[in-house]
Amino acid sequence: MTPTPPRPTTIVDAPRLSKKLGVDLVLASETLQYTGSFKFRAAYNVASNVKQAHIITASSGNFGQAMAYACSLFGKRCTVVMPTVAPKIKVDAVREYGAEVDLIDVKKKSRLERLDELAKEFPHAYVASPYDDALVIEGNASLATELFALGLDLDFIVAPIGGGGLTSGLVKAVERSGKKIDVLAAEPLLSNDAAQSFRAGHIVAIADESSTIADGARVLRIGDRNWEILSQGLTAVIEVTEDQIREGVRLLFALANLKAEPTGALALGAVLAQPDRFRGKRVCCVISGGNADPALYAELIEGI
């Protein structure tokens, strides 16, 4: 059986949402991607290209799910380091896809420290960064390539940023296409290491993982490979408040019939944060995933 490659992104036209925001909005939804997020693009590219039979990674959940499933397709062993505060729905899914979960208290030990320990314990394994990896970046670039193949005429592509894997891939794809499209990163204000880095002109790390509702963006610093690409090709990082993230989730549900996890709503939150930048423009918001914790999601959309 040939392993199934990533699904094409789902394009959602949401006229009510476009009218409310005053933009010509295109939603590129990865919520129906295998394992529920864009991360499967990267994970599939890694699992299909490395020769090692064991892949180790760290994840808040989405990359862990994606890598677990991709490894199962190629008959590889998978170990995922996850924080103890990761949503239970994501931890359960990683295990159900066949991976081993290594839970850690990130207040006592960082994910990278634990990855280093596992790399020494399993010297023949491939250690895959969820973002700072050439195969990850190239896998994510496929999303923008699909947008261009559809002939979409865009002014902006807006996508969430944690470590920078998705936005790096989008920037590379735009550069290859020769199109004049601005790529913008949407980042939680509570976890704004990328924004700080762009203001400083070099990578800035934050001391601790934040408590932002957008758990997929809880990283300490942008990746080195990602910074190399984004410092040259990204137009800007837009900082999004927790209220704007919540409102993004609510608007996607109410006006686009789309279930997004908080990280997946960051791009729409960026439009809410800087309406003047986007008014009247053709804007593609990448809705990066839909793996929302059920209790949290119910709370977010209550009263609509």
Side-chain angles (χ1 to χ4, degrees):
M1 184 180 74
T2 303
T4 307
R7 287 176 175 144
T9 195
T10 303
I11 302 299
V12 178
D13 184 27
R16 289 177 67 202
L17 187 52
S18 290
K19 183 178 179 181
K20 180 174 181 64
L21 297 176
V23 301
D24 186 3
L25 192 65
V26 174
L27 302 176
S29 178
E30 287 287 280
T31 62
L32 297 180
Q33 184 57 263
Y34 292 111
T35 71
S37 84
F38 79 96
K39 296 283 192 179
F40 184 70
R41 296 174 179 275
Y44 185 91
N45 204 44
V46 172
S48 62
N49 280 287
V50 302
K51 65 181 185 298
Q52 288 89 336
H54 183 191
I55 296 176
I56 300 170
T57 192
S59 171
S60 297
N62 280 346
F63 190 68
Q65 293 179 67
M67 187 56 74
Y69 182 50
C71 283
S72 75
L73 294 176
F74 291 94
K76 295 175 186 280
R77 180 184 176 188
C78 182
T79 304
V80 183
V81 175
M82 299 183 73
T84 52
V85 295
K88 183 177 183 296
I89 188 175
K90 295 184 177 182
V91 175
D92 290 346
V94 171
R95 288 182 172 135
E96 286 168 17
Y97 285 122
E100 303 155 46
V101 175
D102 190 284
L103 289 172
I104 60 163
D105 181 348
V106 294
K107 288 184 169 59
K108 296 178 180 176
K109 182 182 294 183
S110 75
R111 305 181 207 195
L112 292 178
E113 286 173 326
R114 182 57 182 152
L115 272 183
D116 286 342
E117 289 175 357
L118 288 173
K120 290 169 185 168
E121 186 178 340
F122 301 103
H124 299 296
Y126 183 85
V127 180
S129 166
Y131 45 88
D132 195 0
D133 184 302
L135 292 171
V136 164
I137 293 167
E138 198 53 45
N140 291 331
S142 64
L143 198 162
T145 303
E146 289 172 16
L147 297 178
F148 305 148
L150 295 171
L152 296 175
D153 186 20
L154 303 170
D155 295 308
F156 297 103
I157 299 175
V158 190
I161 188 168
L166 175 57
T167 45
S168 296
L170 296 175
V171 165
K172 287 194 72 172
V174 169
E175 289 174 349
R176 282 199 294 260
S177 75
K179 295 180 181 293
K180 301 298 182 187
I181 301 172
D182 287 337
V183 179
L184 297 164
E187 183 175 52
L189 181 61
L190 286 184
S191 187
N192 66 346
D193 58 286
Q196 290 187 52
S197 298
F198 273 79
R199 284 193 285 268
H202 57 82
I203 294 176
V204 173
I206 55 179
D208 300 296
E209 287 195 17
S210 83
S211 58
T212 175
I213 194 173
D215 61 275
R218 292 175 188 160
V219 299
L220 301 181
R221 69 189 291 276
I222 199 168
D224 293 328
R225 290 180 182 83
N226 312 106
W227 174 252
E228 187 177 334
I229 296 166
L230 296 174
S231 61
Q232 302 299 316
L234 190 71
T235 299
V237 179
I238 298 174
E239 292 160 290
V240 184
T241 67
E242 297 299 288
D243 284 345
Q244 288 161 345
I245 298 170
R246 291 171 181 269
E247 183 65 8
V249 171
R250 292 166 61 87
L251 287 172
L252 287 168
F253 176 83
L255 301 182
N257 199 26
L258 196 59
K259 178 176 79 76
E261 62 187 278
T263 309
L266 270 169
L268 196 66
V271 177
L272 296 171
Q274 295 190 7
D276 291 344
R277 184 195 287 266
F278 300 105
R279 190 166 289 116
K281 301 294 187 180
R282 179 80 157 156
V283 182
C284 176
C285 285
V286 177
I287 311 304
S288 59
N291 296 320
D293 175 78
L296 173 61
Y297 190 76
E299 175 196 321
L300 290 172
I301 64 170
E302 186 178 10
I304 289 179

